[in-house]
Amino acid sequence: MSGAQHHRPALGICLIVAGFTVFSCMDTLVKQSAETFPIEHITFVRYAAHLALLVVLIPFFGIRTFLGGRKLGFLTIRGCFLFISTILFFGAIASLPLAEAAAISFMAPVLTVGLSALILKESVGIRRWSAVAAGFVGVLIILRPGLQELTTAHLMVLGTAFGFSAFSLMTRHAGKETPALATLFLTAVTGVIGSATLLPFAGTWPAVSGSSWGILVLIGLLALLAEFCLVHGYRCAAASLLAPFQYIQMLWATLLGWVVFDSLPDVWTSVGAALIIGAGLYIWLRETRIRQVTPSEVPASEPT
């Protein structure tokens, strides 16, 4: 992801839009499948299908390409954070409307700024802190604690945002030369191991038709396709150009929630989502201006 690679912005934008569109379709299938399968089963098959396809490629690229070299441990821990955020989000959308869950999860880029200041001691000015505060206000508007019941699913989405923020911070420091295949492979391995440890608590596998199993496999393949699009999208254009396009996922979550589940976000969710997205876009603008003064491209992260 060196600067020399950022020479195809149109292709990069198309790949980012495609990646988040595919993720939205995957989330819709997860929500549907949750009516039949426990979330632990869905998550395991999602990562297992992802891993199986990558294992097929090992003879063509060599096992060293998939292990990340000296960054093996670092990328493994990074994958654990993504697994945590994934299973929490899958569990949340089983009961929450897609648009509401997506809106709250968009706190992740905002939280990343706060965590980078608190943990990594990066310099964050008052304007970006104000954007972080605005994002939290947006979440409070959606959750309305005291005015509506705060469910476990809401807390799971907040956990998703925190987990993905940690994942994003680690992605920033993974290094620009980390092989894309190593990133995808170690993400899949940690996901399979993590979800496998939860299978004993999920009960027996349900007796369902072959098409239901096919949908679970499709979820895993869609996840791999989406991650592939995002990884290569960010290699075609600068992250500062592509960052705003992640919010197309909110559009798809609203549209698919309406078409598939006959569910539209209420006024409070819409207002809160607007604040969160606005805060994220403002942070993007500020970081873009800072990079123009002190150029240093920040590697972009993958969603769940």
Side-chain angles (χ1 to χ4, degrees):
M1 281 194 301
S2 63
Q5 291 175 289
H6 295 147
H7 61 282
R8 292 181 289 175
L11 177 59
I13 290 171
C14 289
L15 286 170
I16 294 304
V17 170
F20 281 106
T21 299
V22 173
F23 266 125
S24 297
C25 294
M26 182 197 74
D27 290 340
T28 303
L29 293 177
V30 170
K31 186 172 178 64
Q32 286 183 315
S33 298
E35 298 175 1
T36 305
F37 293 92
I39 291 300
E40 294 87 350
H41 292 170
I42 297 173
T43 307
F44 176 78
V45 178
R46 171 256 192 265
Y47 279 109
H50 179 159
L51 179 60
L53 187 56
L54 288 172
V55 167
V56 173
L57 300 178
I58 290 178
F60 300 97
F61 294 94
I63 187 62
R64 291 186 179 180
T65 303
F66 288 80
L67 294 182
R70 290 177 297 176
K71 292 188 177 296
L72 173 61
F74 183 88
L75 292 175
T76 300
I77 296 172
R78 171 183 169 275
C80 290
F81 278 115
L82 183 61
F83 162 69
I84 292 169
S85 63
T86 297
I87 195 166
L88 288 175
F89 190 72
F90 282 4
I93 61 176
S95 56
L96 285 181
L98 285 176
E100 184 174 348
I104 299 172
S105 71
F106 280 144
M107 269 301 293
V110 179
L111 285 171
T112 300
V113 173
L115 291 178
S116 66
L118 297 174
I119 298 176
L120 301 179
K121 307 303 179 183
E122 293 182 0
S123 177
V124 176
I126 186 63
R127 295 181 182 180
R128 282 187 288 172
W129 275 120
S130 298
V132 171
F136 277 109
V137 170
V139 170
L140 290 175
I141 290 174
I142 295 173
L143 297 181
R144 304 190 299 284
L147 299 179
Q148 71 165 356
E149 182 184 2
L150 192 63
T151 66
T152 302
H154 289 118
L155 299 178
M156 291 172 76
V157 182
L158 289 174
T160 296
F162 276 101
F164 195 73
S165 296
F167 168 82
S168 299
L169 284 177
M170 296 192 73
T171 300
R172 278 189 180 185
H173 297 276
K176 297 180 181 180
E177 305 305 322
T178 303
L181 285 174
T183 299
L184 297 173
F185 181 74
L186 292 171
T187 294
V189 169
T190 53
V192 167
I193 295 173
S195 54
T197 61
L198 299 177
L199 288 180
F201 305 99
T204 58
W205 292 81
V208 294
S209 64
S211 60
S212 296
W213 290 105
I215 290 174
L216 291 192
V217 173
L218 178 60
I219 288 171
L221 298 180
L222 288 176
L224 178 58
L225 174 61
E227 291 177 24
F228 178 86
C229 287
L230 297 187
V231 168
H232 287 278
Y234 284 114
R235 288 171 185 254
C236 292
S240 57
L241 169 67
L242 300 176
F245 291 94
Q246 67 179 303
Y247 294 112
I248 195 172
Q249 192 171 11
M250 185 67 202
L251 174 63
W252 282 116
T254 301
L255 180 61
L256 290 171
W258 175 43
V259 172
V260 180
F261 303 105
D262 194 26
S263 173
L264 283 172
D266 59 21
V267 173
W268 294 107
T269 299
S270 300
V271 172
L275 263 177
I276 295 169
I277 292 174
L281 290 174
Y282 181 78
I283 288 170
W284 161 71
L285 284 171
R286 288 294 302 167
E287 292 186 345
T288 299
R289 291 175 182 174
I290 291 170
R291 279 196 294 269
Q292 288 173 348
V293 176
T294 308
S296 64
E297 186 58 63
V298 178
S301 58
E302 309 160 24
T304 58

